[in-house]
Each structure stands twice: as C-alpha cells, then as structure tokens.
Amino acid sequence: MPIVYLNGDYLPLEEATVPVEDRGFLFADGIYEVVRFYRGRSFQLEAHLQRLQHSAQGAHLPLASAAAELPGIIERLLVENDLQDANVYIQYTRGAAHPRTHTFPAAAQPTVLVMPVPIHALPGDAFTRGVSAVTMPDLRWRRCDIKSTMLLPNVIAKQQARDQGAFEAILVRDGVVTEGSSTNMFAVIDGSLTTHPADQDVLGGITRQVILALAATLCLGICEETFTVDQLYDAEEVFLTSTTSEVLPITQVDGRAIGDGRPGRVTMRLFEAFQKEVAS
Amino acid sequence: MPIVYLNGDYLPLEEATVPVEDRGFLFADGIYEVVRFYRGRSFQLEAHLQRLQHSAQGAHLPLASAAAELPGIIERLLVENDLQDANVYIQYTRGAAHPRTHTFPAAAQPTVLVMPVPIHALPGDAFTRGVSAVTMPDLRWRRCDIKSTMLLPNVIAKQQARDQGAFEAILVRDGVVTEGSSTNMFAVIDGSLTTHPADQDVLGGITRQVILALAATLCLGICEETFTVDQLYDAEEVFLTSTTSEVLPITQVDGRAIGDGRPGRVTMRLFEAFQKEVAS
C-alpha cells in the first residue's frame, strides 16, 4: 500500500480516512485530477492544475493554499513511494461539516487527498488491434467540464461496457457522441480529425488538447464539432484519449468494424507523435 | 455529537470515518434516504426502504443483509441518542476497493452509515407567510429517480437560492419545472393539484406520494403532468414537499407573488391533512 497525502499528513493508504460527514462522501461535493508521470517527470502538470482551478470555480469550491503546494506534495509522494512512472490522483472536497445540510458550510476546511494510483494495464494487443466500444445514453449532468466526483453514471456505463466485452462506453446525448465514460472520443470523418467541442457537455481533456496540437503540427484537418452515432459508425477511424489510456484505437463500435477493422493511419501517426511528445 | 451506526458498529460521530478509497468518496457510488421520526415512531419507513431498494437496483448496488436489519439499527440509534423527533440519514456505498478503478470491484463490502441528523429549523413565519423561491436550470443527470449521493448540482442550486434570499431553488429543464433542489414541487393550476410525473427526471418523493393520496381523499383534482415556468408564475398556489420540510407554501417565485401572495386554501388544507396524518 502506498504512502498518500491527506490534509497535511503523509501516511500509509490504509490509515487514510475521512469523517463520514466529509461533503465529498455525503454530497459528491468535490473535484479531482489524475496526472501522469513518465520517468519521474510530470506530463502537462500545469494544464491539470489549471483545469483543477476551472473545476473549483465551477463548483464554487475555494482551493486552499494547498493548490500552490501541490507540485511539492506530488514530488514528495513520488520519492516516498519510489515511483518513476505513475498516475497521481488529486481530490479536493468542501470538507467535513456538521450537521449535514445542502448549503455551503461557513467554516469547513477543504479536504485534500493526493495519492498514487496504478497505471491501467491495457490489453496486450490494444495498440496493434485496437479495442471495442459500445454506445449508450449519456445520462450525466450538464456541467461535464467540471471534473467532479459525481461519477456514478460513468461507473455504471464503464461496467456495462465491460459486461458486454467492450473496453469503453461511448456516451450519446440526443444522438450526438459526447465522449467515453472516462475518455475523450475522436473520429476521422471525411479525412478530418473530429471531436466534440470542449463545452459543458464534455471534459476538456488534457490529452485531447495535446492531440489537437499535435494534429495541427502534422497538418491534419481538425474539426471541433459534434458528430452523430451514424457518423461514428461510418468514420474512417475512431480513437479515444485520456491521461491514463493515452491514445488508443477503437476498431469496433456496437459490433460494427470501424474502417477496415484495424487501427487507422491517422490514429497511428498521432499515437507515435504522442509517444515522442511524452519522451521529450 | 450523536452516536451513529457504521458497518456494524455504534460509535460517536466524531470517530466515524471511511477509507479515502471508499467508492462513495471517490465516485459518488452510493445512495441514501432520510426518514422522519415523530414522537419516537417512524413515518413511512416502509416506503423509504422500498425506495432504497429502487435506488440500489438503478445503481446496480447490491444491498447487503443490513437492509433487512435497518429498522432494528434505526430503533437502537434512537434509543442510544434518546431521540423522539428526528431525521435519520441512511447511506449505502459500493464500499472501499483498491486500487481506484471505475468498474465495480469484485469483492467490496458495501459501506452502511446510519445517523441522526437534525430537523431543519424553518423560518418562524414559513407556514403563515410562505417562503420564496427562485428558478434556475436543472443541470442534474437523467436518473433523478435514483436517490444517489451525486448532489453537487443540488448543493450549488440551494446555495445560490439562499444567496438570493430565497428558501429553495426550483429547477427547470427545457422550460419544464422538475422539482426543488431537495424538495418536490406542486402547483395549483386551474384548480387542479399539479406536479411533475414520478419519472426519471424527479425523485419519487415519499411526502409527494402521501400528499397525492391525501388530495384524493379531499376530492381535489390531481394532475401528474409537467408544467412550465410560466404556468408556475400564473399558478393559484405553489408549495413544496419533502421529508424534512413536510408541506411548505411558496408565495413568491423569482420576485413575483403567487396568487395573492399568501399561502393558498388548497395548500393549507393539505398541510392540515398532512399534520393529521403524521399525528395518527
């Protein structure tokens, strides 16, 4: 079990507890980030911290001074746990307050949790053969740009996908593909790299942003516009992005092959460009 | 600080903690109920337990045997805390699991928390003068029939209402009044008692159901249909219901007087019938 940071203390994970009255536990009154480390160095840490600020503003959740201290906390956690390649999970909540009541507490101290989480093991042939996905209704709230801990619909969607033998659930709102249950979704449509605009219906993914920038350097056509499920089925290529899954080709959706059923050329160019970016 | 029940133990609230890896804390992967006790006796406990089952099914969350033991747990808590009139809060989560991952854990034990929570103090003239409310967009997910702990939008809405000097936020989706941030919403429109159908966009309130039954015994016209914000403004009467607020007249919405600006006759008849029901 790793050492984690909780409200000023570094302690073994099994000793890290929060009061049952923590508003993160009672109200999902909290936000989070997951930052990737490669060979001991953070990837896009600044962008993650900026998004944390964005989530905090959206949730009217004041970040304590700890926000400025996060880089130091994370660095110490990597040392304590002797980690080079890792995901670091950061969560803020509005803190514990008595008694339970919806309105913001007058004087609660935010709860701050930082902990290493394992890098997901992907299927061995995930990058060479691609993964499959299934579509399902996007039931989430209308502020998905806030990375809140309100993840029950994501959890259910991911589990339902796995129950159907698929790697990811692709969420669909009013016929439009929004994103995956924990990933952003890209499709190559008529040669252009297409993804849902970074509005309030999707998370503004950090890896999503990196991929859009890399696509520009590769002179690809880029289209931040919505696309439908039918456009998804008919896309030349589909892939997902996330901090933990990076760039992952999707070669089957709802049992239908995407393109020729193999990872596409644009996907692989972006995958390679991303690996270079990470290595640099 | 009261004695609370947590996973088999009765302990002081200040000692009741959950691991940071509890999925209730990380994913809002949990459901809850609040049950009212009057003079030591529960009100509609069976209906609350049935709704807990409904939420559990919707969230694919297996209730452990503790579900059957809940009445006994609650009874002991009332004795331990020497309570006659109280609200009792019940929360189930999918439990603590390592490492953090969206999919359901193979072998986590559900977390069960039961604790007394105070009865909200209402403004002294709430029943004689009514309270005010403000409308705002309903940003919540599309399974509001599941009483999950995903309450961040409710929390923000309630706080914004209070910041505007109002008692409650009335949530509006696509022009339609769904419910309050922690209450169901009723309007008397053309003489008929009107409230949003108990579908996936509102919580099937227990007090809502009691009021509908009482309205039938009073021979009132009942209309479980959606109504718009304009219909709300023009309603003869408006009131809210909830386990903790019971029946409360709303006499002002967005600064406009409802009816003649005083609690209406239908509201007061139902309020009195509800008080009789509770007393019996």
Side-chain angles (χ1 to χ4, degrees):
Chain A
M1 287 283 185
I3 301 294
V4 308
Y5 171 92
L6 181 64
N7 298 331
D9 294 322
Y10 295 83
L11 69 176
L13 174 57
E14 57 268 38
E15 294 173 18
T17 62
V18 290
V20 294
E21 281 190 321
D22 192 288
R23 293 176 61 96
F25 186 69
L26 296 181
F27 292 107
D29 195 0
I31 56 176
Y32 75 105
E33 284 291 330
V34 182
V35 184
R36 184 72 178 258
F37 281 74
Y38 296 96
R39 296 177 311 287
R41 293 179 62 181
S42 66
F43 183 65
Q44 296 281 331
L45 177 59
E46 192 51 44
H48 282 284
L49 295 181
Q50 275 177 21
R51 189 171 62 185
L52 189 68
Q53 291 282 1
H54 171 82
S55 296
Q57 278 171 9
H60 305 273
L61 204 167
L63 295 184
S65 59
E69 299 159 12
L70 271 177
I73 291 168
I74 294 171
E75 200 173 328
R76 177 161 165 195
L77 271 188
L78 290 184
V79 171
E80 295 262 3
N81 291 290
D82 192 22
L83 290 172
Q84 295 286 309
D85 294 280
N87 292 318
V88 174
Y89 177 89
I90 302 160
Q91 181 173 334
Y92 273 73
T93 82
R94 211 179 305 271
H98 181 77
R100 177 188 182 277
T101 187
H102 281 59
T103 46
F104 299 168
Q109 277 296 105
T111 295
V112 186
L113 167 69
V114 187
M115 62 178 180
V117 287
I119 293 170
H120 294 310
L122 295 173
D125 54 2
F127 292 102
T128 51
R129 299 190 54 177
V131 296
S132 64
V134 287
T135 60
M136 52 188 78
D138 189 346
L139 301 175
R140 301 171 305 158
W141 74 325
R142 299 310 290 263
R143 284 302 304 274
C144 291
D145 59 311
I146 299 173
K147 198 167 170 73
S148 84
T149 54
M150 298 209 306
L151 293 169
L152 180 56
N154 308 64
V155 157
I156 293 173
K158 181 82 86 184
Q159 183 63 42
Q160 288 184 336
R162 296 295 167 87
D163 289 346
Q164 294 175 47
F167 181 77
E168 179 60 304
I170 298 178
L171 304 178
V172 179
R173 189 192 292 277
D174 300 330
V176 162
V177 172
T178 53
E179 58 186 336
S181 72
S182 65
T183 60
N184 287 118
M185 209 52 61
F186 284 82
V188 179
I189 298 174
D190 296 332
S192 292
L193 186 64
T194 310
T195 193
H196 196 290
D199 61 17
Q200 302 196 336
D201 280 340
V202 301
L203 182 71
I206 307 297
T207 306
R208 172 189 179 282
Q209 207 51 46
V210 170
I211 287 298
L212 287 174
L214 289 173
T217 67
L218 295 177
C219 306
L220 298 175
I222 296 168
C223 195
E224 285 187 76
E225 283 180 20
T226 60
F227 54 97
T228 66
V229 176
D230 284 336
Q231 286 178 296
L232 177 75
Y233 291 152
D234 293 340
E236 291 107 68
E237 306 181 24
V238 175
F239 64 92
L240 61 79
T241 63
S242 81
T243 293
T244 54
S245 295
E246 303 178 328
V247 177
L248 197 55
I250 293 176
T251 47
Q252 200 186 70
V253 177
D254 293 339
R256 302 162 191 237
I258 301 298
D260 64 1
R262 290 177 298 183
R265 189 171 143 66
V266 171
T267 305
M268 295 324 287
R269 282 180 74 195
L270 286 166
F271 172 77
E272 282 156 23
F274 184 80
Q275 295 305 324
K276 261 190 209 160
E277 179 78 12
V278 161
S280 74
Chain B
M1 286 282 185
I3 301 294
V4 308
Y5 171 91
L6 181 62
N7 298 331
D9 294 322
Y10 294 83
L11 70 177
L13 175 57
E14 56 267 39
E15 294 173 18
T17 62
V18 291
V20 293
E21 281 191 321
D22 192 289
R23 293 176 61 97
F25 186 69
L26 296 181
F27 292 106
D29 195 358
I31 56 177
Y32 75 105
E33 283 292 330
V34 183
V35 184
R36 184 73 178 259
F37 281 74
Y38 296 95
R39 296 178 310 287
R41 293 178 64 182
S42 66
F43 183 65
Q44 296 281 332
L45 176 59
E46 193 49 47
H48 283 283
L49 296 181
Q50 275 177 22
R51 189 171 63 187
L52 188 69
Q53 291 283 0
H54 171 82
S55 297
Q57 278 171 11
H60 305 272
L61 203 168
L63 295 185
S65 58
E69 298 159 12
L70 271 177
I73 292 169
I74 294 170
E75 199 174 329
R76 176 162 165 195
L77 272 187
L78 290 184
V79 171
E80 295 262 4
N81 291 289
D82 192 21
L83 290 172
Q84 294 287 310
D85 293 281
N87 292 317
V88 174
Y89 176 90
I90 302 160
Q91 181 172 336
Y92 273 73
T93 80
R94 211 178 305 271
H98 180 79
R100 177 188 182 277
T101 186
H102 280 60
T103 46
F104 300 168
Q109 277 296 105
T111 295
V112 186
L113 168 69
V114 187
M115 61 179 181
V117 287
I119 293 171
H120 295 311
L122 295 173
D125 53 3
F127 293 101
T128 51
R129 299 189 54 176
V131 296
S132 65
V134 286
T135 60
M136 52 189 78
D138 188 346
L139 302 174
R140 300 170 306 157
W141 73 325
R142 299 309 291 262
R143 285 302 304 274
C144 291
D145 59 311
I146 299 173
K147 198 167 170 73
S148 84
T149 54
M150 299 209 306
L151 292 169
L152 180 55
N154 308 62
V155 157
I156 293 172
K158 181 81 87 185
Q159 183 62 42
Q160 289 184 336
R162 296 295 167 87
D163 289 345
Q164 295 175 45
F167 180 77
E168 178 59 304
I170 298 177
L171 305 178
V172 179
R173 189 192 292 278
D174 300 330
V176 162
V177 172
T178 52
E179 58 186 338
S181 72
S182 65
T183 61
N184 286 120
M185 208 53 61
F186 284 83
V188 179
I189 298 173
D190 295 333
S192 292
L193 186 64
T194 311
T195 193
H196 196 290
D199 61 16
Q200 301 195 337
D201 281 340
V202 301
L203 182 71
I206 308 296
T207 307
R208 171 188 180 282
Q209 206 53 44
V210 170
I211 287 297
L212 288 174
L214 290 174
T217 67
L218 296 177
C219 306
L220 297 175
I222 296 169
C223 195
E224 286 188 74
E225 283 180 20
T226 59
F227 55 96
T228 66
V229 175
D230 284 335
Q231 287 178 293
L232 178 75
Y233 291 152
D234 293 340
E236 292 106 70
E237 306 180 24
V238 174
F239 64 91
L240 61 80
T241 63
S242 81
T243 293
T244 54
S245 295
E246 303 177 329
V247 177
L248 198 54
I250 294 176
T251 46
Q252 200 186 70
V253 176
D254 293 339
R256 302 163 191 237
I258 301 298
D260 64 1
R262 289 178 298 184
R265 187 171 145 67
V266 171
T267 304
M268 295 323 286
R269 283 181 74 196
L270 286 167
F271 172 77
E272 282 157 22
F274 185 80
Q275 294 306 324
K276 262 192 207 160
E277 178 78 11
V278 161
S280 72

